[in-house]
Amino acid sequence: MNQKLRVIYVSAEVAPYAKSGELADVACSLPKYLSYLGMEVSIFMPKYRNPEIESLPKEMLVSNLLVPLGEKKVKARVFKSEHGKYDIYLIDNPKYFWRENIYGTGKGEYLDNDERFIFFSRAILEFLVKTKLHTDIIHCNSWHTALIPVFLKTHYSHKSQFKKVSTVLTLHNVAYQGEFPPETLVLTGLSWDYFCPEQLSLGGKFNFLKAGVIFSDVLNTVSSSYKREILTEKYGFGLEKILKSRKDVFFSIRNGVDYEIWNPETDSFIAANYSPPDLKGKKKCKRDLIKEFGLSLNVKTPIVGIVSYMTSHKGFDILLEAMDELMEMDLGFVMLGQGDEKYENSFSNFQRRFSRKMAVKFNMNPALAHKIAAGADIFLIPSLYEPCGLNQLYSFRYATVPVVRATGGLEETVTPFNTRTLKGNGFVFKEYSSKAMVKALKKVLVYYKKPQIWQKILMAGFQENFSWENAAKRYARLYHNALKIKRGG
Ligand code: GLC
């Protein structure tokens, strides 16, 4: 029954073409696994200007799509790149998307992000109208694309081709809602009647994510713990009540891992392939990581790795607070990230002071992310909240032991090592504080020095299976549910 389902999967970022966080990994892999289930999947993303996108084989399908934006009509070009079982459609407008980054710089977000993503959303719908591409599901992700369900139920409600189309909105992180001044409404072409607390506004702002929560047919988030969390005031960022009001259509599906990409046996980014329990190759990867980051470390010294967007909710406050103490411990430290300028500056300072044992690189280079997964011994994720988290799952497969704070998807996937039963696949700390984090790391270092126990922990992680295959099947069920809901089932 999946055969006929056509899914339009919409995301502002898709790895490896454009990546700021883990959303890009999801948007790269889920569509592929959906296509393995027999669905016809088309990914839609902006055509950013970078070598990865430039080198994609593609054809221009439409050279002059006129996209309504307020009073104006703005031109878009649409390209298509075929990838066997699925296609990638690229929405092109140099003014909006030929920029250095996806959302902004270390100094802040681009000031016209409202206009950029309204344009992107409407361009997709205009393209579907123009080409009459058969569609069953439009799957939107995060605030950037959350207005698509709004537009479908307003501007496009009379179009027969959309009558049976169901929309799914995935909430990857409700801390980011796309909040803009009321005047942004003008760009949508919607009447001011919509600007009310029941529909598009929240706290006096035009809130894209909230609008999507109200207008989409079905909602989901990326772990059941995070779903529970965001129904509370502490983690809901003001959306908790609205989410509760939609609880009948609010689900959770935990993200999966693409083991075609994240597999130390076949990974072409790393210095040597390996397959636990044989870790000879991992040792080579560790040497390579030490060299790549210019450290002077003995290969026996445990290396702590971090790959993260650098922002406070990823735990960078407690990390900074703990840095002096960490640097006194017998460990090496490598970090890959991008984000708030203040963290980039502070960590650069630490690097200057402790260049023998710690190094940071500020770009989301995929090869380096793989090198850290393979070459590090310990992977640290100290997040204040974490909707799903993928790096702990990658770490498992690479025999790298995760140390995480107990929140969201981290709590759900990392089973704390129990010193009595010797069971568990990682280390977990509860309190969000540098003290609790340092305490956990000190405990980890004790067990790192006990090779037999260490091997047991990393094998427990290695044997986990978080494949997208299972998660994609859950999405298939979600889509069928969404269609039933839409078609009056
Ligand atoms: C966001 C969340 C992260 C999740 C990812 C993909 O980046 O912060 O926890 O894994 O989206 O869903």
Side-chain angles (χ1 to χ4, degrees), residues 13 20-27 141-142 170-174 176 221-223 226 253-255 309 313-314 383 385-392 409-410 468 475:
E13 44 182 295
S20 118
E22 292 176 346
L23 165 60
D25 296 24
V26 173
N141 291 281
S142 297
T170 300
L171 309 172
H172 291 270
N173 189 340
V174 301
Y176 298 101
T221 188
V222 291
S223 72
Y226 188 62
I253 299 176
R254 193 171 54 228
N255 293 329
Y309 189 68
H313 79 254
K314 292 286 180 194
S383 305
Y385 53 88
E386 191 65 71
C388 178
L390 291 170
N391 283 302
Q392 81 277 19
L410 299 175
W468 263 120
Y475 272 101

Side-chain angles (χ1 to χ4, degrees), residues 152-168:
L152 270 182
K153 288 197 173 142
T154 53
H155 294 309
Y156 300 87
S157 62
H158 61 285
K159 296 264 177 213
S160 60
Q161 92 183 87
F162 291 132
K163 281 259 162 12
K164 290 184 173 171
V165 172
S166 191
T167 50
V168 173

Side-chain angles (χ1 to χ4, degrees), residues 40-57:
E40 288 181 59
V41 188
S42 303
I43 301 176
F44 280 74
M45 68 178 289
K47 187 171 179 290
Y48 302 107
R49 196 181 203 188
N50 62 36
E52 289 77 13
I53 291 181
E54 292 306 313
S55 60
L56 260 180

Side-chain angles (χ1 to χ4, degrees), residues 115-401:
E115 188 170 333
R116 297 171 75 220
F117 289 107
I118 289 172
F119 169 80
F120 176 54
S121 302
R122 284 216 70 176
I124 293 166
L125 293 171
E126 288 298 318
F127 175 77
L128 295 179
V129 169
K130 190 176 171 92
T131 56
K132 300 209 164 34
L133 197 68
H134 170 74
T135 305
D136 294 300
I137 297 285
I138 303 185
H139 186 157
C140 308
N141 291 281
S142 297
W143 70 263
H144 329 110
T145 55
L147 292 185
I148 289 178
V150 179
F151 294 143
L152 270 182
K153 288 197 173 142
T154 53
H155 294 309
Y156 300 87
S157 62
H158 61 285
K159 296 264 177 213
S160 60
Q161 92 183 87
F162 291 132
K163 281 259 162 12
K164 290 184 173 171
V165 172
S166 191
T167 50
V168 173
L169 172 64
T170 300
L171 309 172
H172 291 270
N173 189 340
V174 301
Y176 298 101
Q177 298 182 3
E179 295 169 89
F180 298 99
E183 302 76 65
T184 293
L185 188 82
V186 175
L187 296 171
T188 66
L190 292 169
S191 92
W192 282 100
D193 295 345
Y194 288 98
F195 195 79
C196 59
E198 291 74 37
Q199 308 214 54
L200 306 184
S201 73
L202 184 68
K205 299 235 174 88
F206 183 0
N207 186 311
F208 284 22
L209 192 65
K210 183 233 166 154
V213 168
I214 303 259
F215 278 80
S216 61
D217 294 313
V218 163
L219 300 164
N220 81 303
T221 188
V222 291
S223 72
S224 56
S225 308
Y226 188 62
K227 181 184 167 199
R228 260 194 318 276
E229 286 176 353
I230 57 180
L231 291 168
T232 66
E233 212 183 312
K234 184 169 170 203
Y235 291 99
F237 288 87
L239 290 186
E240 58 280 1
K241 285 207 186 90
I242 297 140
L243 287 170
K244 272 188 202 144
S245 75
R246 302 229 59 209
K247 67 176 187 317
D248 294 348
V249 292
F250 181 28
F251 303 91
S252 72
I253 299 176
R254 193 171 54 228
N255 293 329
V257 175
D258 189 337
Y259 291 122
E260 290 175 15
I261 298 177
W262 295 93
N263 178 356
E265 282 180 54
T266 51
D267 193 328
S268 57
F269 290 123
I270 61 180
N273 291 119
Y274 60 95
S275 173
D278 181 354
L279 298 177
K280 282 198 284 298
K282 186 168 172 74
K283 209 173 210 173
K284 284 194 189 145
C285 294
K286 186 168 179 181
R287 286 212 173 86
D288 175 57
L289 184 68
I290 292 173
K291 200 166 134 220
E292 179 81 45
F293 277 79
L295 304 177
S296 327
L297 277 185
N298 184 310
V299 74
K300 291 213 170 93
T301 308
I303 294 185
V304 177
I306 293 192
V307 177
S308 178
Y309 189 68
M310 299 172 86
T311 181
S312 68
H313 79 254
K314 292 286 180 194
F316 279 78
D317 291 331
I318 61 172
L319 191 61
L320 258 188
E321 216 177 283
M323 251 353 245
D324 278 308
E325 209 176 339
L326 290 189
M327 289 298 100
E328 280 169 18
M329 289 158 66
D330 182 24
L331 49 74
F333 185 94
V334 295
M335 191 158 87
L336 180 67
Q338 225 172 17
D340 300 356
E341 209 174 47
K342 70 169 179 187
Y343 297 118
E344 295 198 1
N345 293 339
S346 309
F347 282 100
S348 299
N349 281 336
F350 273 105
Q351 172 163 359
R352 275 191 285 277
R353 281 172 57 202
F354 299 99
S355 59
R356 295 175 71 84
K357 60 189 301 188
M358 95 145 252
V360 199
K361 291 190 195 267
F362 302 112
N363 64 50
M364 276 303 187
N365 178 315
L368 288 177
H370 284 247
K371 280 175 189 278
I372 293 180
D377 301 288
I378 298 160
F379 202 99
L380 180 60
I381 314 181
S383 305
L384 174 58
Y385 53 88
E386 191 65 71
C388 178
L390 291 170
N391 283 302
Q392 81 277 19
L393 309 181
Y394 301 155
S395 300
F396 285 145
R397 194 43 59 114
Y398 285 76
T400 302
V401 174

